[in-house]
Amino acid sequence: MAKDLLIGSHVGMNGPDYYLGSIKEAISYGATTFMFYTGAPQNTFRKPLSDLKIEEGRALLKEQGFDESKIVVHAPYIMNPANKSRPDLLELTLNTLTSELRRTHAFGAKILVLHPGNHLGLGSEEAINNLVENLDTVLAQDGTDVRIAIETMAGKGSEIGTCFEDVKKILDNCKYPERLGVCLDTCHVHDAGYDVNEVDDLLAEFDRIIGLNRLLVVHVNDSKNIRGAHKDRHENLGYGEIGFEALCKLANHPLLRDIPKILETPYINENAPYSEEIRMLRDEKFIPGWKDKYLA
Ligand code: FE
Ligand code: FE
Ligand code: ZN
């Protein structure tokens, strides 16, 4: 691998190669890490682990020199872990989270990204309490060493976890704080109102409120909307309201050296943009018009 920048993108996991295919996809982008879902993100149906070519995948990872502890799994976003008003949905959340922790562990990964959920009019205080209670229930009987990274959210609809203070509250109130960390999404914090262009100030603020030692993952995305818009629409690097310079500075920041940086920028005419985006971040050089070849 060219340089030790810990950078990758979300990758698919489809038949016939499943996990082995995910890793091949990451390698094709020149990535040094990646993120994946253990099944479709929008539902909780999951294929048995024995079908997913995990052994073959892990062997390839080892051969390629990937650090398995930096590989990221994203939990399905269908559930609302901050809600407990409907027993059937609560059961789905608890079962899904329990099973995702086990599945993450089975892949040899250590980090599971979780959207904290929506308050649906309850207000974020009550929703945070629900989330903490649900995390405690799941973690009390979980035997893995996987850490749950609570993702910072844009504030679309009634999303919770839109400021560092609220994320800190979640970490502090849980009975198992050592099992929790944070996923900082640049599009989400920008949409929530933070100034991502002031990279050092942003990290200082994160460190002051939460602590950089709790940061487990950074999602590197540009945003289609202005700061504070609460929209959550990702954009390709250099084509949005944050811009390449700040995202590049963040991705290459010495304080984030050991933290996996993951791109979740949109496909362009059904083409993955990640080879180009990874190359530009690694070279610390924006190529004007880099998207044009996909737009023809
Ligand atoms: Fe996410
Ligand atoms: Fe994200
Ligand atoms: Zn998003």
Side-chain angles (χ1 to χ4, degrees):
M1 276 157 214
K3 191 176 134 185
D4 72 343
L5 187 61
L6 198 49
I7 181 85
S9 68
H10 72 100
V11 296
M13 189 171 65
N14 306 305
D17 272 350
Y18 296 104
Y19 195 46
L20 182 62
S22 309
I23 295 153
K24 287 179 178 168
E25 184 183 342
I27 293 168
S28 78
Y29 302 145
T32 50
T33 187
F34 58 90
M35 180 175 83
F36 69 105
Y37 289 85
T38 79
Q42 67 277 20
N43 67 47
T44 56
F45 173 77
R46 291 293 179 264
K47 268 198 174 325
L49 292 167
S50 54
D51 290 356
L52 300 179
K53 303 210 175 173
I54 296 177
E55 284 314 308
E56 292 94 321
R58 294 184 74 178
L60 179 60
L61 276 182
K62 209 169 169 195
E63 184 194 303
Q64 294 284 321
F66 279 79
D67 179 351
E68 209 170 48
S69 72
K70 304 294 181 180
I71 288 163
V72 183
V73 176
H74 199 306
Y77 44 71
I78 178 79
M79 58 186 163
N80 180 7
N83 186 22
K84 55 168 196 175
S85 58
R86 269 183 54 186
D88 54 333
L89 291 182
L90 176 61
E91 196 186 323
L92 176 88
T93 291
L94 298 177
N95 289 342
T96 303
L97 252 180
T98 301
S99 134
E100 283 297 306
L101 283 165
R102 286 201 200 116
R103 291 172 70 86
T104 302
H105 180 72
F107 282 89
K110 303 271 185 232
I111 306 168
L112 177 65
V113 170
L114 178 70
H115 291 183
N118 303 286
H119 67 68
L120 306 173
L122 288 177
S124 51
E125 189 134 344
E126 189 169 340
I128 287 172
N129 291 340
N130 291 344
L131 173 62
V132 167
E133 199 179 311
N134 291 339
L135 289 170
D136 282 345
T137 303
V138 169
L139 291 173
Q141 35 86 46
D142 174 73
T144 75
D145 59 353
V146 173
R147 286 202 282 175
I148 296 176
I150 304 293
E151 184 162 357
T152 57
M153 302 310 287
K156 185 173 151 190
S158 68
E159 279 173 351
I160 64 166
T162 59
C163 64
F164 297 162
E165 286 81 359
D166 282 0
V167 172
K168 167 73 169 166
K169 225 180 271 172
I170 297 163
L171 304 191
D172 277 356
N173 293 350
C174 180
K175 283 189 194 132
Y176 308 91
E178 73 285 354
R179 300 291 307 277
L180 298 182
V182 179
C183 168
L184 177 82
D185 185 309
T186 56
C187 170
H188 296 178
V189 296
H190 163 90
D191 281 29
Y194 288 89
D195 189 353
V196 177
N197 277 280
E198 297 299 333
V199 174
D200 291 307
D201 291 351
L202 182 77
L203 292 180
E205 174 88 344
F206 187 98
D207 195 35
R208 187 173 67 81
I209 310 280
I210 300 175
L212 277 173
N213 60 330
R214 311 304 298 274
L215 185 58
L216 301 180
V217 189
V218 174
H219 285 168
V220 180
N221 303 307
D222 213 329
S223 172
K224 284 191 197 297
N225 294 98
I226 56 164
R227 177 149 76 97
H230 304 297
K231 296 275 197 202
D232 188 7
R233 294 189 63 214
H234 302 188
E235 181 55 283
N236 295 107
L237 302 190
Y239 284 79
E241 295 291 329
I242 301 174
F244 181 78
E245 202 185 314
L247 295 169
C248 183
K249 182 175 175 184
L250 188 80
N252 286 279
H253 204 288
L255 286 172
L256 308 183
R257 211 183 58 111
D258 298 326
I259 294 165
K261 273 78 63 180
I262 303 291
L263 296 157
E264 306 174 295
T265 50
Y267 271 47
I268 311 159
N269 284 338
E270 288 164 39
N271 296 293
Y274 307 122
S275 299
E276 281 77 7
E277 291 183 324
I278 288 171
R279 189 180 317 118
M280 289 190 299
L281 290 175
R282 198 172 260 146
D283 294 348
E284 299 181 60
K285 193 173 182 296
F286 184 68
I287 299 165
W290 68 268
K291 264 171 89 161
D292 292 354
K293 69 172 172 184
Y294 296 117
L295 295 171

